[in-house]
Amino acid sequence: MSFPDVRLRRLRQSPAVRGLVRETSLEPRNLVLPLFVREGLSEAVPIGSMPGIVQHSLDSLRAAAVDAAEAGVGGVMLFGVPAVRDAQGSGADDPQGILNVATEVLAAEVGDALVVQTDLCLDEFTDHGHCGVLDADGAVDNDATLVRYASMALAQARAGSQLLGLSGMMDGQVAVIRAALDAEGFTDTLLLAYAAKYASAFYGPFREAVDSQLKGDRRTYQLDPGNRREGVREAVVDEQEGADIVMVKPAMAFLDVLREVRDTVDIPVWAYQVSGEYAMIEAAAANGWIDRRASILESLLSIRRAGADAVLTYWATDAARWLRG
Ligand code: PBG
């Protein structure tokens, strides 16, 4: 047997060698846990399509955030589910709205241990379920929505959110929110721009999680899944507008976009492993078809390898515990 003496298997001969040459690492501090809090609950309610994930009461939310902090998770991203909705999404910038109240609670409880973050979008708060307000013809009105986002940003910053997750996909949202925050002295509030957020079928379970009122789709503002260049362009524009971090979402079906965004911008790039990604692995594992823990860790490592500096994942606390052994 003769072949050019390039023996790549030498690098794989033992766990110790493999550990020395592994290119990508995954650490608890790279993980962000999304959390749902629902107004009026006295105890947590399970989400059927996301086994193991719940809509939290304020008390169970506090406990989950403390767990995450103790496991070494880098941050929590909070989503609010209000009891009442209207066309303008009034609950979003009401200081007594569930998201802002919960933010105050978490900022006080775990604000020193991890980064308390809030989703900045109107969809949970509008009675039509869109991410913005509508014009007379029922279309999502970009510039009118920016006025609402600016107000929401101030409410969240005042409640103690350290990082705002701009997930609405309106043009100009980063610049308008940055200006509104700076004008009120919130110059340290971080902006995470969901730059390349695709109109994806993998958000299905999330819509149950937030009790979404949406009929139709978000294709006039979220990206077409066929477009990689356009996703990169969104990230470049958001960086120019002043985003501190950009996001690619979903993660696993868009790893090529993630890699290209990472290679293009100079700021941190995060990825969101969304509800459908979670549900698929949980369902397959529950059937005994894949190894749950190994699949979860491999999925997270792969998202890091593709270029994500941090990953939003519903498994953040579990994964952090496993990683710490
Ligand atoms: C919308 C929003 C979505 C998710 C988070 N915020 C998607 C959508 O409804 O279009 C999805 C998250 C997930 O699926 O885990 N603001």
Side-chain angles (χ1 to χ4, degrees):
M1 183 58 71
S2 102
F3 57 93
D5 199 19
V6 180
R7 293 191 178 268
L8 293 168
R9 287 186 54 201
R10 266 200 299 269
L11 292 169
R12 303 171 200 151
Q13 61 185 282
S14 70
V17 173
R18 290 195 295 273
L20 271 175
V21 301
R22 186 167 305 122
E23 300 169 35
T24 309
S25 68
L26 180 64
E27 298 176 43
R29 65 179 182 88
N30 305 132
L31 305 175
V32 176
L33 177 69
L35 288 167
F36 303 107
V37 58
R38 180 163 156 196
E39 188 172 5
L41 289 185
S42 52
E43 55 190 276
V45 175
I47 299 164
S49 53
M50 300 178 74
I53 307 300
V54 299
Q55 293 180 331
H56 282 288
S57 67
L58 281 172
D59 283 340
S60 71
L61 178 78
R62 193 185 286 119
V66 168
D67 270 357
E70 283 172 0
V73 166
V76 291
M77 173 65 78
L78 200 48
F79 293 88
V81 185
V84 181
R85 298 176 164 91
D86 62 23
Q88 304 296 314
S90 304
D93 53 340
D94 178 349
Q96 297 310 311
I98 183 62
L99 180 54
N100 298 319
V101 169
T103 301
E104 273 187 51
V105 168
L106 290 195
E109 191 78 32
V110 292
D112 295 330
L114 47 67
V115 181
V116 173
Q117 322 179 10
T118 44
D119 182 58
L120 198 160
C121 190
L122 285 174
D123 62 314
E124 289 94 4
F125 298 94
T126 53
D127 55 11
H128 45 74
H130 274 294
C131 294
V133 294
L134 307 181
D135 66 18
D137 300 326
V140 174
D141 185 333
N142 192 89
D143 296 13
T145 298
L146 296 181
V147 178
R148 300 288 301 125
Y149 283 2
S151 173
M152 195 174 178
L154 291 175
Q156 294 185 351
R158 288 185 186 118
S161 177
Q162 288 177 263
L163 181 152
L164 313 185
L166 280 46
S167 68
M169 289 299 286
M170 294 301 126
D171 290 328
Q173 61 184 10
V174 177
V176 165
I177 289 170
R178 183 75 272 160
L181 290 170
D182 289 353
E184 294 292 316
F186 292 107
T187 51
D188 284 342
T189 306
L190 291 150
L191 296 185
L192 162 67
Y194 285 47
K197 179 174 180 181
Y198 287 85
S200 170
F202 293 107
Y203 304 146
F206 175 90
R207 305 262 166 101
E208 179 191 345
V210 299
D211 194 12
S212 173
Q213 306 298 301
L214 183 69
K215 298 189 180 55
D217 59 53
R218 306 196 198 283
R219 291 181 186 277
T220 68
Y221 42 105
Q222 296 179 349
L223 284 159
D224 187 310
N227 294 356
R228 178 171 50 82
R229 285 197 310 266
E230 193 184 352
V232 176
R233 197 171 167 213
E234 281 276 1
V236 168
V237 169
D238 284 347
E239 184 180 34
Q240 287 165 350
E241 284 188 31
D244 299 291
I245 305 164
V246 286
M247 175 87 93
V248 174
K249 175 182 177 181
M252 284 180 79
F254 297 87
L255 295 180
D256 57 329
V257 180
L258 180 55
R259 168 47 55 196
E260 192 159 343
V261 169
R262 175 60 291 165
D263 288 343
T264 304
V265 300
D266 290 318
I267 56 180
V269 179
W270 290 8
Y272 197 142
Q273 185 178 52
V274 302
S275 57
E277 301 177 65
Y278 177 89
M280 286 192 295
I281 290 180
E282 288 291 348
N287 277 292
W289 296 337
I290 56 175
D291 178 325
R292 178 173 180 268
R293 176 170 160 165
S295 305
I296 291 168
L297 289 173
E298 183 180 319
S299 71
L300 291 167
L301 186 71
S302 299
I303 294 165
R304 290 262 303 139
R305 189 198 63 238
D309 298 295
V311 186
L312 274 79
T313 174
Y314 298 99
W315 290 300
T317 303
D318 279 356
R321 288 214 183 93
W322 298 333
L323 292 167
R324 286 190 157 184

